[in-house]
Amino acid sequence: LAQSFDIAVCILDTLRTKKMTQKDLAEKMNVSPQFINKIVKGQENLSLETIAKLNRALGIKLKVVDTN
């Protein structure tokens, strides 16, 4: 859950910086706004494909670290 929270904060910070809405991000990723809402609430288990889409859509590199 800590990783989901960190990713959510990073996404929200990036959206704010780029003056984008969650709806804008959803459109760029070709997903529903509800899906983006789940991500930013830390309620979605992100696949590598989704992380790659987020990286492309936001122009960032999300760092995924295995905590085990």
Side-chain angles (χ1 to χ4, degrees):
L1 287 175
Q3 285 179 312
S4 294
F5 178 77
D6 291 344
I7 289 171
V9 168
C10 181
I11 292 168
L12 289 169
D13 285 346
T14 304
L15 288 174
R16 197 171 309 115
T17 300
K18 294 182 178 267
K19 297 183 182 352
M20 289 176 65
T21 65
Q22 290 181 31
K23 185 178 179 189
D24 295 333
L25 179 57
E27 289 172 2
K28 276 189 149 194
M29 291 179 59
N30 199 28
V31 299
S32 72
Q34 292 83 4
F35 182 69
I36 299 300
N37 189 262
K38 281 183 163 184
I39 291 172
V40 299
K41 287 184 175 180
Q43 297 174 342
E44 188 64 35
N45 189 5
L46 300 176
S47 68
L48 291 175
E49 180 181 357
T50 300
I51 291 169
K53 283 183 179 182
L54 285 162
N55 286 338
R56 283 191 301 272
L58 294 172
I60 62 173
K61 277 251 196 237
L62 291 172
K63 294 181 181 166
V64 182
V65 179
D66 184 6
T67 58
N68 291 333

